[in-house]
């Protein structure tokens, strides 16, 4: 709550959450804060694709979250599942409308062999639910929230989206979105919200022995390129985290950068860095050459 207070004091007014985060806990906490604010003074996005149900077994950790609420989750991208998830989120948030509703983690990366099944449910009826919610004013916009480029390109080929929240795929290190998706979004009028600008931490910490990349230990190819980026940053006198924060905002398809901040001090560091970044164009050209060495780091991820 102290972090949220600090966020508000800095003038930040866009908040993103999801049922997945803490099995509903993040929505509960965010709602507790936002209900004290003027409803027309902020924007909130949450997500559909997972439906929560009561669990008989409270667990100290689940899906990487500590002390989650006592709920299980199941994937459901259908019309019924989308509506159920949306209505449950309204209850947890304590709000009567949600500004942006995102389809969460659709794609091969999450679903593997079940991908086509879930995509079929979304295409056949889930998007219809989102269009109904937008038409009635229950939401103002909808899109997808994912961390893979391929599903963005596929969905844009058949469905208009207001925005895409893309995590980790358009960063100083990982340029997966550059070949097609950025231009595709511009042509479609789809805004990009870029998350995961530190690629799970390595672009904040550098290539140390405990460096994390893409939700796991960093492979050698990624470590090598981050070391090169760190050397480049030192040459230009630009902190590595500052360049990582500033990079996505250079492209006209990107409307904002979404940061996860765990405490007020980290929030202050990030906002100061992103507001004070003055980086010469030659730096960006050389950083791109480093990032594109042997393709993107995304391709090197051990599966």
């Amino acid at each position: 709550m102290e972090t949220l207070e600090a966020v508000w004091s800095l003038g930040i007014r866009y908040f993103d959450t999801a049922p997945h985060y803490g099995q509903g806990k993040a929505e509960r906490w965010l709602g507790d804060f936002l209900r004290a604010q003027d409803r027309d003074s902020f924007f909130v996005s949450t997500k559909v694709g997972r439906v929560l149900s009561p669990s008989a077994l409270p667990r100290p950790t689940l899906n990487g979250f500590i002390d989650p609420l006592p709920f299980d989750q199941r994937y459901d991208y259908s019309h019924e599942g989308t509506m159920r998830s949306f209505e449950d989120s309204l209850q947890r948030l304590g709000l009567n409308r949600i500004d942006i509703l995102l389809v969460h983690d659709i794609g091969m990366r999450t679903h593997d062999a079940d991908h086509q099944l879930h995509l079929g449910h979304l295409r056949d009826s889930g998007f219809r639910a989102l269009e109904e919610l937008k038409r009635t004013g229950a939401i103002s916009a909808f899109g997808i929230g994912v961390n893979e480029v391929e599903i963005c390109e596929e969905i844009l080929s058949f469905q208009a989206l207001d925005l895409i929240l893309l995590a980790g795929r358009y960063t100083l290190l990982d340029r997966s979105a550059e070949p097609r998706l950025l231009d595709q979004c511009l042509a479609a009028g789809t805004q990009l919200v870029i998350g995961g600008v530190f690629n799970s931490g390595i672009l904040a910490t550098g290539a140390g022995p405990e460096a994390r990349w893409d939700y796991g230990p960093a492979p050698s190819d990624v470590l090598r390129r981050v070391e090169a980026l760190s050397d480049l940053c030192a040459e230009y006198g630009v902190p590595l985290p500052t360049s990582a924060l500033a990079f996505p905002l250079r492209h006209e398809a990107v409307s904002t950068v979404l940061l996860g901040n765990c405490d007020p001090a980290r929030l202050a560091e990030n906002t100061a860095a992103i507001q004070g970044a003055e980086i010469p164009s030659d730096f960006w050209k050389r950083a791109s050459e480093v990032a594109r060495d042997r393709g993107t780091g995304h391709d090197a991820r051990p599966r």
Side-chain angles (χ1 to χ4, degrees):
M1 299 306 284
E2 290 174 358
T3 302
L4 287 169
E5 291 283 0
V7 165
W8 195 266
S9 71
L10 289 168
I12 296 170
R13 295 293 183 269
Y14 171 43
F15 303 85
D16 176 72
T17 185
H20 176 52
Y21 307 151
Q23 306 294 98
K25 198 171 192 176
E27 287 183 317
R28 287 289 302 273
W29 281 357
L30 181 61
D32 287 347
F33 176 79
L34 290 179
R35 283 193 300 277
Q37 318 303 329
D38 176 5
R39 181 61 188 90
D40 293 327
S41 65
F42 62 84
F43 298 91
V44 62
S45 59
T46 192
K47 304 183 182 76
V48 296
R50 291 175 170 90
V51 174
L52 303 186
S53 57
S55 172
L57 271 180
R59 285 154 287 196
T61 62
L62 184 64
N63 298 321
F65 298 102
I66 298 170
D67 192 25
L69 294 183
F71 293 94
D72 291 322
Q73 58 176 255
R74 59 179 172 83
Y75 292 111
D76 191 336
Y77 295 89
S78 68
H79 183 284
E80 180 181 356
T82 298
M83 289 297 196
R84 163 74 185 275
S85 180
F86 169 71
E87 291 166 1
D88 287 352
S89 288
L90 289 178
Q91 297 285 343
R92 286 188 292 267
L93 287 162
L95 301 175
N96 62 356
R97 71 179 191 276
I98 291 170
D99 301 287
I100 302 164
L101 202 56
L102 302 170
V103 178
H104 202 185
D105 286 340
I106 190 71
M108 281 289 296
R109 183 182 174 95
T110 299
H111 299 298
D112 198 14
D114 292 329
H115 165 61
Q116 289 301 327
L117 172 67
H118 291 305
L119 182 61
H121 291 160
L122 178 62
R123 185 170 186 169
D124 292 344
S125 65
F127 278 127
R128 177 164 49 85
L130 294 171
E131 289 167 347
E132 290 172 9
L133 290 169
K134 183 178 178 179
R135 185 170 60 251
T136 61
I139 63 175
S140 299
F142 68 83
I144 59 176
V146 295
N147 53 19
E148 60 183 276
V149 167
E150 295 82 2
I151 190 62
C152 301
E153 295 172 346
E154 181 176 1
I155 287 177
L156 281 175
S157 71
F158 65 81
Q159 173 66 49
L161 301 175
D162 296 303
L163 75 160
I164 292 171
L165 168 51
L166 181 64
R169 303 284 80 87
Y170 184 54
T171 73
L172 188 67
L173 175 62
D174 190 320
R175 308 300 179 89
S176 304
E178 283 185 336
R180 291 179 300 275
L181 182 60
L182 296 176
D183 288 342
Q184 198 176 0
C185 286
L186 284 176
T190 299
Q191 296 185 66
L192 274 169
V193 174
I194 300 299
V197 294
F198 298 130
N199 283 123
S200 297
I202 195 168
L203 290 179
T205 65
E210 302 298 321
R212 305 285 290 178
W213 178 82
D214 212 16
Y215 308 104
S220 58
D221 172 64
V222 170
L223 291 170
R224 176 177 56 81
R225 284 185 291 121
V226 172
E227 288 172 354
L229 287 170
S230 296
D231 291 343
L232 184 65
C233 286
E235 180 181 339
Y236 281 84
V238 178
L240 179 63
T242 297
S243 61
L245 285 162
F247 168 75
L249 292 171
R250 300 175 64 250
H251 199 280
E252 58 184 324
V254 176
S255 62
T256 193
V257 163
L258 184 67
L259 296 175
N261 292 284
C262 58
D263 59 63
R266 182 62 54 82
L267 171 70
E269 292 174 4
N270 284 335
T271 52
I274 202 168
Q275 290 169 351
E278 293 185 9
I279 303 173
S281 58
D282 187 54
F283 170 88
W284 297 119
K285 179 181 178 181
R286 292 179 62 187
S288 294
E289 292 171 355
V290 173
R292 293 176 182 133
D293 179 21
R294 211 190 79 69
T296 67
H298 180 47
D299 295 332
R301 180 177 187 268
R303 293 185 179 273

